[in-house]
Amino acid sequence: MGAILAVVSQKGGVGKTTTAINLASALARGGRKTLLVDVDPQGAVRHGVGLMGTEQPAGLSDVLAGTHELQDVVLGTPLPWLRVLLAGSVSDDVEHSTYSRQVAESPKLGELFDRARARGYLVIVDTPPGLGAVTRRVLAHSQHVIVPLQCEPLALQTTTQILRAVRQAAATNPALVLDGILLTMLEAGNAVSERVAAYVREQLPPELLLDVAIPRTMSSIDAFAAGQPVVLHSPNDPAALAYLRLAELLEPRLR
Ligand SMILES: Nc1ncnc2c1ncn2[C@@H]1O[C@H](COP(=O)(O)OP(=O)(O)OP(=O)(O)O)[C@@H](O)[C@H]1O
Ligand SMILES: [Mg+2]
């Protein structure tokens, strides 16, 4: 049996997509059968895994709309154990409210996750920022959740809201476990960034914080621009090593 792990945060731009792509790639590289699913209608996963052809590939939104079958839209990647389900044609629309309603109301998302799990997939889900209907629906069907927290001033401000949302989701989905908060974009040598990381470590109970922090590196930016996860693009880069360590840490829990 596989498992569903959601990457969520109240704030935008904190490294959710980067984390989902690299964690999924690191786990697949280690031989875990992994499915990366983009439920964010912005569809950024497509850029990060190098599927930027001219045509928008069909994906999750097309399965939910009933125009495509799941098996026809799950795509292979250069990693044999990693497959991806992109956001789909919703990414071309300016208006995403129909999609959000579909996700929130249709039983299909849960069914899709259940099918993937039954086939032994570890499903890593990249979500839109905030705690809207899409993210809450994903949490209702997940067993694991991690919350990236960018090392910047006021980082902790939104953490209470997200922790409350996870607790609320767990009240109706007792299988849901918060694996932890993940410090991202930590800048070594930058006093502000280091002070924020120290403050977060001081303020949060240790069991809430994952025992690895992702540094901010140039290679992470280069990798995204090149359409590759940094763990494959520059495996010795400190951010890549941190994501590999995160995968090692989480792997035994994701059963
Ligand atoms: N470790 C890192 N080092 C350098 N840049 C990074 C790192 N992690 C993420 N970034 C960059 O920060 C930006 C935001 O990251 P990302 O897209 O992963 O965040 P997000 O939380 O998914 O954003 P959104 O809320 O818009 O979906 C991107 O340009 C990404 O390339
Ligand atoms: Mg994103």
Side-chain angles (χ1 to χ4, degrees):
M1 194 73 161
I4 317 290
L5 179 144
V7 183
V8 307
S9 76
Q10 173 71 24
K11 273 198 79 187
V14 298
K16 285 181 296 300
T17 302
T18 307
T19 297
I21 290 174
N22 282 288
L23 181 59
S25 303
L27 288 160
R29 210 186 75 147
R32 246 341 250 280
K33 185 171 155 184
T34 308
L35 177 67
L36 173 61
V37 178
D38 192 356
V39 304
D40 182 353
Q42 293 179 91
V45 166
R46 185 180 171 208
H47 300 257
V49 296
L51 289 167
M52 289 311 292
T54 42
E55 233 172 85
Q56 175 74 252
L60 177 65
S61 58
D62 306 284
V63 175
L64 296 179
T67 59
H68 289 71
E69 290 299 321
L70 181 61
Q71 61 270 22
D72 300 328
V73 295
V74 169
L75 305 173
T77 73
L79 282 172
W81 293 108
L82 179 64
R83 310 191 84 196
V84 288
L85 176 57
L86 299 178
S89 44
V90 67
S91 304
D92 287 335
D93 300 340
V94 184
E95 182 57 67
H96 295 142
S97 56
T98 312
Y99 167 77
S100 303
R101 215 174 26 249
Q102 234 160 27
V103 173
E105 289 167 10
S106 146
K108 281 189 180 170
L109 185 74
E111 289 167 10
L112 187 154
F113 284 174
D114 288 346
R115 264 168 71 189
R117 247 191 112 193
R119 288 184 194 166
Y121 277 105
L122 177 59
V123 181
I124 309 283
V125 189
D126 184 26
T127 65
L131 295 163
V134 172
T135 300
R136 278 184 277 124
R137 188 69 178 194
V138 168
L139 287 176
H141 293 289
S142 299
Q143 293 82 50
H144 296 270
V145 55
I146 62 175
V147 180
L149 186 72
Q150 188 180 346
C151 296
E152 48 147 30
L154 309 182
L156 267 179
Q157 256 189 357
T158 53
T159 310
T160 355
Q161 285 158 298
I162 198 89
L163 294 180
R164 197 182 312 130
V166 171
R167 252 195 319 267
Q168 272 167 4
T172 48
N173 171 17
L176 184 68
V177 171
L178 172 67
D179 287 292
I181 290 171
L182 175 69
L183 291 175
T184 59
M185 296 190 237
L186 174 59
E187 279 180 63
N190 175 324
V192 175
S193 184
E194 284 180 346
R195 216 175 311 132
V196 170
Y199 179 73
V200 170
R201 289 186 178 116
E202 215 176 86
Q203 294 295 315
L204 287 179
E207 67 276 10
L208 275 191
L209 204 59
L210 284 158
D211 195 16
V212 53
I214 312 296
R216 185 194 284 278
T217 67
M218 270 313 290
S219 293
S220 301
I221 297 165
D222 294 344
F224 194 81
Q228 273 194 317
V230 71
V231 295
L232 299 185
H233 184 267
S234 313
N236 292 318
D237 171 73
L241 292 172
Y243 276 121
L244 290 165
R245 170 87 193 100
L246 176 69
E248 230 173 69
L249 194 92
L250 291 177
E251 206 278 336
R253 304 189 201 170
L254 304 175
R255 301 277 162 201

